[in-house]
Amino acid sequence: MFLRNRLLSLNLTSFSSPPSPPTKSLSFLFSFNKTIAYSTRKRPHPKPKVSASRAAKQPLSDGARFAKTVLFVPPGVDLEEVTDEMILPGSNIVLGPYAGHSQIKEVEFVKSSGRAKDCPKDDRPEFAILGRSNVGKSSLINALVRKKEVALTSKKPGKTQLINHFLVNKSWYIVDLPGYGFARAPDAARTDWSSFTKGYFLNRETLVAALLLIDASVPPQRIDLDCANWLGRNNIPMTFVFTKCDKMKASKGKRPDENIRDFQELIRENYRQHPPWIMTSSVTGLGRDELLLHMSQLRNYWDQ
Ligand code: GDP
Protein backbone atom coordinates (compact mmCIF):
# COMPACT_ATOMS: atom_id res chain seq x y z
CA MET A 1 0.00 0.00 0.00
CA PHE A 2 1.31 3.47 -0.80
CA LEU A 3 2.13 5.58 2.22
CA ARG A 4 0.52 8.61 0.71
CA ASN A 5 -1.49 11.34 2.25
CA ARG A 6 -2.43 13.93 -0.27
CA LEU A 7 -2.40 16.76 2.18
CA LEU A 8 -2.03 19.42 -0.40
CA SER A 9 -4.12 17.89 -3.09
CA LEU A 10 -7.08 19.81 -4.36
CA ASN A 11 -9.64 18.02 -6.50
CA LEU A 12 -7.31 15.72 -8.29
CA THR A 13 -8.59 15.21 -11.78
CA SER A 14 -6.88 12.77 -14.05
CA PHE A 15 -6.69 13.57 -17.69
CA SER A 16 -5.82 11.61 -20.75
CA SER A 17 -2.39 11.78 -22.29
CA PRO A 18 -1.65 14.91 -24.25
CA PRO A 19 -2.00 14.44 -27.99
CA SER A 20 1.13 14.28 -30.11
CA PRO A 21 2.23 17.82 -30.84
CA PRO A 22 0.66 19.04 -34.04
CA THR A 23 3.12 21.91 -34.32
CA LYS A 24 6.49 22.87 -32.98
CA SER A 25 4.79 25.22 -30.57
CA LEU A 26 4.64 24.41 -26.87
CA SER A 27 1.34 26.17 -26.54
CA PHE A 28 -0.52 22.86 -26.71
CA LEU A 29 -0.26 22.76 -22.97
CA PHE A 30 -2.60 25.65 -22.59
CA SER A 31 -5.40 23.64 -24.07
CA PHE A 32 -5.55 21.27 -21.10
CA ASN A 33 -8.59 22.09 -19.05
CA LYS A 34 -8.07 19.67 -16.26
CA THR A 35 -5.70 20.12 -13.43
CA ILE A 36 -2.98 18.13 -11.79
CA ALA A 37 -2.89 18.58 -8.05
CA TYR A 38 0.44 18.55 -6.31
CA SER A 39 0.65 15.93 -3.61
CA THR A 40 2.95 15.35 -0.69
CA ARG A 41 3.72 11.86 0.44
CA LYS A 42 4.02 10.88 4.03
CA ARG A 43 3.69 8.04 6.43
CA PRO A 44 0.46 7.93 8.40
CA HIS A 45 0.03 9.65 11.79
CA PRO A 46 2.37 12.67 11.73
CA LYS A 47 4.24 13.53 14.92
CA PRO A 48 6.24 16.71 14.20
CA LYS A 49 9.63 16.61 15.88
CA VAL A 50 11.43 19.45 14.15
CA SER A 51 10.59 22.99 15.15
CA ALA A 52 10.31 25.95 12.80
CA SER A 53 13.64 27.56 12.25
CA ARG A 54 12.59 30.73 10.46
CA ALA A 55 9.40 32.32 11.60
CA ALA A 56 10.09 36.02 11.50
CA LYS A 57 6.89 38.06 11.56
CA GLN A 58 7.58 40.77 9.02
CA PRO A 59 4.93 41.77 6.49
CA LEU A 60 5.30 40.51 2.94
CA SER A 61 6.85 42.73 0.28
CA ASP A 62 4.79 43.40 -2.87
CA GLY A 63 6.84 40.86 -4.81
CA ALA A 64 6.35 38.21 -2.18
CA ARG A 65 2.64 38.97 -1.97
CA PHE A 66 2.37 38.34 -5.69
CA ALA A 67 4.57 35.27 -5.38
CA LYS A 68 2.16 33.87 -2.80
CA THR A 69 -0.09 32.73 -5.61
CA VAL A 70 2.59 30.34 -6.81
CA LEU A 71 4.34 29.44 -3.58
CA PHE A 72 4.93 25.90 -2.46
CA VAL A 73 3.61 25.90 1.08
CA PRO A 74 4.75 22.77 2.91
CA PRO A 75 2.80 20.84 5.51
CA GLY A 76 2.56 22.63 8.84
CA VAL A 77 2.50 26.15 7.36
CA ASP A 78 -0.50 28.42 7.02
CA LEU A 79 -0.28 30.48 3.83
CA GLU A 80 -1.41 33.58 5.71
CA GLU A 81 1.54 33.26 8.07
CA VAL A 82 4.19 33.21 5.34
CA THR A 83 6.83 35.94 5.57
CA ASP A 84 9.68 36.87 3.20
CA GLU A 85 12.21 35.17 5.45
CA MET A 86 10.46 31.84 5.11
CA ILE A 87 10.88 31.72 1.30
CA LEU A 88 14.07 30.02 0.18
CA PRO A 89 16.06 32.35 -2.13
CA GLY A 90 15.81 31.54 -5.85
CA SER A 91 12.74 29.37 -5.39
CA ASN A 92 9.02 29.34 -4.61
CA ILE A 93 9.61 27.12 -1.59
CA VAL A 94 8.44 28.09 1.86
CA LEU A 95 10.45 26.67 4.71
CA GLY A 96 8.23 25.09 7.34
CA PRO A 97 8.40 23.36 10.69
CA TYR A 98 9.61 20.08 9.23
CA ALA A 99 12.87 21.55 7.91
CA GLY A 100 15.77 20.23 9.93
CA HIS A 101 19.24 18.81 9.67
CA SER A 102 20.07 18.86 5.98
CA GLN A 103 23.82 18.53 5.47
CA ILE A 104 25.29 15.40 3.97
CA LYS A 105 28.00 13.85 6.15
CA GLU A 106 28.48 10.55 4.42
CA VAL A 107 27.30 8.85 1.29
CA GLU A 108 27.83 5.35 -0.01
CA PHE A 109 26.91 3.65 -3.23
CA VAL A 110 24.60 0.76 -2.41
CA LYS A 111 23.51 -0.92 -5.61
CA SER A 112 22.40 -0.66 -9.22
CA SER A 113 19.06 -2.22 -10.05
CA GLY A 114 17.62 -3.21 -13.38
CA ARG A 115 14.02 -3.32 -12.15
CA ALA A 116 12.02 -1.48 -9.50
CA LYS A 117 11.52 -4.71 -7.60
CA ASP A 118 15.29 -5.19 -7.31
CA CYS A 119 15.76 -1.86 -5.49
CA PRO A 120 16.74 -1.87 -1.79
CA LYS A 121 13.94 -3.28 0.29
CA ASP A 122 14.41 -1.36 3.52
CA ASP A 123 11.97 1.35 4.47
CA ARG A 124 14.21 4.40 4.09
CA PRO A 125 12.82 7.43 2.26
CA GLU A 126 14.32 8.36 -1.11
CA PHE A 127 14.52 11.11 -3.70
CA ALA A 128 14.78 10.21 -7.37
CA ILE A 129 16.83 12.52 -9.56
CA LEU A 130 16.03 12.54 -13.24
CA GLY A 131 16.32 14.71 -16.28
CA ARG A 132 17.37 14.90 -19.87
CA SER A 133 20.79 13.60 -20.76
CA ASN A 134 23.33 16.43 -20.29
CA VAL A 135 21.02 18.41 -18.01
CA GLY A 136 23.72 18.42 -15.33
CA LYS A 137 22.49 15.49 -13.23
CA SER A 138 25.90 14.07 -12.36
CA SER A 139 27.24 17.53 -11.59
CA LEU A 140 24.31 18.25 -9.29
CA ILE A 141 24.61 14.95 -7.44
CA ASN A 142 28.33 15.54 -6.98
CA ALA A 143 27.64 19.09 -5.76
CA LEU A 144 25.00 17.87 -3.30
CA VAL A 145 27.21 15.22 -1.77
CA ARG A 146 30.45 17.17 -2.33
CA LYS A 147 32.19 14.13 -3.73
CA LYS A 148 33.34 13.57 -7.26
CA GLU A 149 33.20 9.83 -7.33
CA VAL A 150 29.53 9.40 -6.49
CA ALA A 151 27.84 10.24 -9.76
CA LEU A 152 30.86 8.95 -11.63
CA THR A 153 29.85 5.53 -10.37
CA SER A 154 26.57 5.78 -12.14
CA LYS A 155 28.23 7.03 -15.32
CA LYS A 156 30.26 3.87 -15.63
CA PRO A 157 29.37 1.97 -18.79
CA GLY A 158 26.48 -0.36 -18.11
CA LYS A 159 25.19 1.63 -15.15
CA THR A 160 23.67 4.54 -17.00
CA GLN A 161 20.50 2.57 -17.74
CA LEU A 162 20.13 1.35 -14.18
CA ILE A 163 18.52 2.67 -11.02
CA ASN A 164 21.46 3.62 -8.79
CA HIS A 165 20.91 3.94 -5.02
CA PHE A 166 23.19 6.04 -2.82
CA LEU A 167 22.69 5.88 0.93
CA VAL A 168 23.09 9.27 2.65
CA ASN A 169 23.91 9.61 6.36
CA LYS A 170 22.80 6.00 6.69
CA SER A 171 19.22 7.21 6.71
CA TRP A 172 17.90 8.13 3.26
CA TYR A 173 18.62 7.54 -0.41
CA ILE A 174 19.49 9.62 -3.42
CA VAL A 175 18.43 7.65 -6.47
CA ASP A 176 20.09 8.36 -9.78
CA LEU A 177 17.74 7.44 -12.62
CA PRO A 178 18.67 7.04 -16.29
CA GLY A 179 18.68 10.21 -18.34
CA TYR A 180 16.04 10.59 -21.02
CA GLY A 181 15.83 12.28 -24.39
CA PHE A 182 19.21 11.54 -25.88
CA ALA A 183 19.49 13.85 -28.83
CA ARG A 184 19.81 11.13 -31.40
CA ALA A 185 18.70 8.15 -29.36
CA PRO A 186 17.11 5.33 -31.24
CA ASP A 187 13.43 4.87 -30.39
CA ALA A 188 14.41 1.86 -28.32
CA ALA A 189 16.17 4.09 -25.78
CA ARG A 190 13.04 6.16 -25.28
CA THR A 191 10.89 3.07 -24.92
CA ASP A 192 13.29 1.81 -22.30
CA TRP A 193 12.65 4.88 -20.22
CA SER A 194 8.94 4.43 -20.67
CA SER A 195 8.70 0.94 -19.29
CA PHE A 196 11.62 0.84 -16.92
CA THR A 197 11.70 4.24 -15.22
CA LYS A 198 7.94 4.56 -15.25
CA GLY A 199 7.77 1.17 -13.52
CA TYR A 200 10.01 2.55 -10.80
CA PHE A 201 7.78 5.59 -10.22
CA LEU A 202 4.58 3.60 -10.20
CA ASN A 203 5.82 0.98 -7.75
CA ARG A 204 8.26 2.61 -5.38
CA GLU A 205 6.48 3.11 -2.08
CA THR A 206 9.40 4.82 -0.34
CA LEU A 207 9.75 7.59 -2.92
CA VAL A 208 9.32 10.95 -1.18
CA ALA A 209 9.63 13.06 -4.33
CA ALA A 210 11.17 13.19 -7.78
CA LEU A 211 13.65 15.98 -8.46
CA LEU A 212 13.07 16.76 -12.11
CA LEU A 213 16.10 18.59 -13.48
CA ILE A 214 15.46 21.24 -16.11
CA ASP A 215 18.26 23.03 -17.97
CA ALA A 216 17.63 26.76 -17.41
CA SER A 217 20.12 27.76 -20.08
CA VAL A 218 17.78 26.67 -22.88
CA PRO A 219 14.11 27.37 -23.67
CA PRO A 220 11.48 24.91 -22.36
CA GLN A 221 11.82 21.54 -24.04
CA ARG A 222 8.81 19.50 -25.00
CA ILE A 223 10.29 16.29 -23.56
CA ASP A 224 10.73 17.91 -20.12
CA LEU A 225 7.16 19.20 -20.16
CA ASP A 226 5.93 15.75 -21.13
CA CYS A 227 7.90 14.20 -18.31
CA ALA A 228 6.54 16.72 -15.78
CA ASN A 229 3.01 16.10 -16.96
CA TRP A 230 3.43 12.33 -16.79
CA LEU A 231 4.67 12.58 -13.18
CA GLY A 232 1.82 14.92 -12.32
CA ARG A 233 -0.82 12.72 -13.87
CA ASN A 234 0.50 9.80 -11.86
CA ASN A 235 0.53 11.71 -8.57
CA ILE A 236 4.29 11.56 -8.17
CA PRO A 237 5.32 14.51 -6.00
CA MET A 238 8.02 16.47 -7.80
CA THR A 239 10.30 19.43 -7.45
CA PHE A 240 11.60 21.27 -10.51
CA VAL A 241 15.33 21.78 -10.06
CA PHE A 242 16.58 24.28 -12.62
CA THR A 243 20.23 23.64 -13.47
CA LYS A 244 22.98 25.80 -15.03
CA CYS A 245 21.50 29.01 -13.64
CA ASP A 246 24.96 30.60 -13.73
CA LYS A 247 25.02 30.54 -17.54
CA MET A 248 24.95 33.90 -19.22
CA LYS A 249 22.47 34.73 -21.88
CA ALA A 250 23.43 33.23 -25.22
CA SER A 251 23.74 35.84 -27.96
CA LYS A 252 20.21 35.26 -29.24
CA GLY A 253 18.76 33.24 -26.41
CA LYS A 254 17.09 34.20 -23.17
CA ARG A 255 18.55 34.41 -19.68
CA PRO A 256 18.06 31.47 -17.29
CA ASP A 257 15.46 33.37 -15.27
CA GLU A 258 13.51 34.10 -18.48
CA ASN A 259 13.62 30.44 -19.53
CA ILE A 260 12.46 29.46 -16.05
CA ARG A 261 9.58 31.90 -16.24
CA ASP A 262 8.58 30.51 -19.65
CA PHE A 263 8.69 26.97 -18.29
CA GLN A 264 6.52 27.95 -15.33
CA GLU A 265 4.01 29.59 -17.65
CA LEU A 266 3.68 26.40 -19.66
CA ILE A 267 3.32 24.27 -16.55
CA ARG A 268 1.09 26.55 -14.49
CA GLU A 269 -2.06 25.76 -16.42
CA ASN A 270 -1.93 22.16 -15.29
CA TYR A 271 -1.61 22.61 -11.55
CA ARG A 272 -3.95 23.96 -8.94
CA GLN A 273 -0.95 24.21 -6.66
CA HIS A 274 2.36 24.88 -8.31
CA PRO A 275 5.03 22.27 -7.57
CA PRO A 276 8.12 23.49 -5.73
CA TRP A 277 10.91 24.81 -7.93
CA ILE A 278 14.44 26.02 -7.24
CA MET A 279 17.35 27.56 -9.16
CA THR A 280 20.72 25.83 -8.89
CA SER A 281 24.21 25.91 -10.33
CA SER A 282 26.76 23.21 -9.80
CA VAL A 283 29.45 25.69 -10.84
CA THR A 284 28.73 28.39 -8.25
CA GLY A 285 26.91 26.26 -5.65
CA LEU A 286 23.77 28.35 -6.06
CA GLY A 287 20.75 26.66 -4.48
CA ARG A 288 22.65 23.71 -3.03
CA ASP A 289 21.99 24.36 0.66
CA GLU A 290 18.45 25.50 -0.09
CA LEU A 291 17.68 22.33 -2.04
CA LEU A 292 19.02 20.21 0.83
CA LEU A 293 16.82 22.12 3.29
CA HIS A 294 13.80 21.57 1.09
CA MET A 295 14.61 17.87 0.87
CA SER A 296 14.94 17.74 4.66
CA GLN A 297 11.47 19.13 5.19
CA LEU A 298 9.88 16.70 2.73
CA ARG A 299 11.83 13.84 4.28
CA ASN A 300 11.00 14.72 7.87
CA TYR A 301 7.35 15.12 7.02
CA TRP A 302 7.33 11.75 5.26
CA ASP A 303 9.17 10.17 8.15
CA GLN A 304 6.89 11.19 11.01
P1 GDP B 1 24.34 14.66 -17.07
O1 GDP B 1 24.51 14.02 -18.40
O2 GDP B 1 22.95 15.11 -16.85
O3 GDP B 1 24.88 13.85 -15.92
O4 GDP B 1 25.18 16.04 -17.12
P2 GDP B 1 26.63 16.42 -16.57
O5 GDP B 1 26.60 16.62 -15.09
O6 GDP B 1 27.62 15.44 -17.10
O7 GDP B 1 26.80 17.85 -17.24
C1 GDP B 1 26.67 18.02 -18.64
C2 GDP B 1 27.47 19.26 -19.05
O8 GDP B 1 26.90 20.42 -18.45
C3 GDP B 1 28.92 19.22 -18.59
O9 GDP B 1 29.71 19.82 -19.61
C4 GDP B 1 28.93 20.07 -17.34
O10 GDP B 1 30.18 20.66 -17.09
C5 GDP B 1 27.88 21.11 -17.66
N1 GDP B 1 27.21 21.58 -16.44
C6 GDP B 1 26.61 20.82 -15.51
N2 GDP B 1 26.10 21.59 -14.52
C7 GDP B 1 26.39 22.87 -14.84
C8 GDP B 1 26.13 24.14 -14.20
O11 GDP B 1 25.51 24.24 -13.13
N3 GDP B 1 26.57 25.25 -14.86
C9 GDP B 1 27.24 25.19 -16.05
N4 GDP B 1 27.62 26.33 -16.61
N5 GDP B 1 27.50 24.01 -16.66
C10 GDP B 1 27.09 22.87 -16.07
Side-chain angles (χ1 to χ4, degrees):
M1 187 184 77
F2 280 116
L3 301 172
R4 294 180 184 177
N5 177 355
R6 309 200 186 296
L7 191 96
L8 301 177
S9 68
L10 299 163
N11 293 332
L12 175 68
T13 321
S14 61
F15 59 77
S16 53
S17 302
S20 321
T23 68
K24 285 182 190 160
S25 161
L26 294 167
S27 61
F28 71 96
L29 275 168
F30 287 110
S31 64
F32 290 174
N33 292 327
K34 296 180 182 171
T35 302
I36 300 169
Y38 184 77
S39 63
T40 299
R41 283 184 178 180
K42 71 177 293 294
R43 294 178 198 263
H45 311 307
K47 278 187 276 137
K49 275 194 282 203
V50 187
S51 57
S53 52
R54 305 183 186 187
K57 296 272 179 200
Q58 278 151 26
L60 282 178
S61 65
D62 285 350
R65 203 171 295 122
F66 170 75
K68 254 185 163 184
T69 57
V70 290
L71 285 180
F72 170 73
V73 182
V77 177
D78 178 353
L79 180 62
E80 296 310 313
E81 299 281 306
V82 173
T83 60
D84 279 356
E85 289 73 15
M86 293 164 71
I87 303 170
L88 290 173
S91 84
N92 72 333
I93 299 168
V94 174
L95 208 58
Y98 288 92
H101 171 75
S102 61
Q103 287 305 314
I104 293 180
K105 291 212 166 60
E106 56 173 307
V107 59
E108 58 181 294
F109 171 70
V110 174
K111 73 178 293 197
S112 297
S113 313
R115 294 170 302 180
K117 63 180 183 181
D118 296 333
C119 290
K121 294 198 173 31
D122 57 67
D123 205 20
R124 296 183 176 104
E126 65 190 42
F127 293 88
I129 305 191
L130 79 161
R132 229 161 10 93
S133 175
N134 225 35
V135 70
K137 183 159 57 81
S138 310
S139 306
L140 183 81
I141 294 175
N142 288 333
L144 287 178
V145 305
R146 294 218 162 109
K147 278 192 176 182
K148 277 224 180 306
E149 63 269 30
V150 167
L152 287 181
T153 309
S154 61
K155 282 218 154 181
K156 279 183 190 159
K159 296 210 170 180
T160 51
Q161 288 304 309
L162 294 171
I163 303 168
N164 298 299
H165 273 77
F166 299 94
L167 182 59
V168 179
N169 297 347
K170 297 199 189 309
S171 62
W172 55 279
Y173 289 111
I174 286 177
V175 184
D176 184 7
L177 292 178
Y180 58 80
F182 293 90
R184 278 178 286 279
D187 280 351
R190 290 167 196 260
T191 314
D192 259 7
W193 191 82
S194 306
S195 54
F196 163 77
T197 312
K198 287 180 180 176
Y200 165 85
F201 281 117
L202 296 176
N203 295 300
R204 193 66 178 158
E205 296 178 17
T206 49
L207 179 69
V208 177
L211 306 184
L212 177 56
L213 272 47
I214 310 287
D215 186 343
S217 68
V218 296
Q221 306 288 303
R222 169 66 198 267
I223 194 161
D224 293 332
L225 295 160
D226 282 352
C227 183
N229 287 327
W230 185 88
L231 292 169
R233 275 200 307 277
N234 287 285
N235 286 331
I236 311 297
M238 77 188 108
T239 296
F240 297 123
V241 177
F242 291 101
T243 61
K244 309 188 187 181
C245 292
D246 59 283
K247 277 204 167 178
M248 296 313 221
K249 178 180 172 175
S251 54
K252 282 188 200 155
K254 293 185 174 179
R255 294 191 314 262
D257 59 302
E258 294 171 318
N259 289 326
I260 290 171
R261 191 200 53 214
D262 291 349
F263 187 90
Q264 312 279 14
E265 284 297 321
L266 291 167
I267 285 294
R268 186 169 301 153
E269 291 290 305
N270 292 333
Y271 295 85
R272 295 255 171 100
Q273 172 154 16
H274 204 290
W277 60 266
I278 185 164
M279 298 170 77
T280 67
S281 162
S282 302
V283 171
T284 65
L286 175 79
R288 175 192 180 271
D289 292 344
E290 289 78 7
L291 178 55
L292 286 173
L293 265 174
H294 171 59
M295 291 163 78
S296 86
Q297 69 178 357
L298 296 183
R299 202 170 59 240
N300 288 328
Y301 175 65
W302 188 92
D303 223 6
Q304 302 305 306

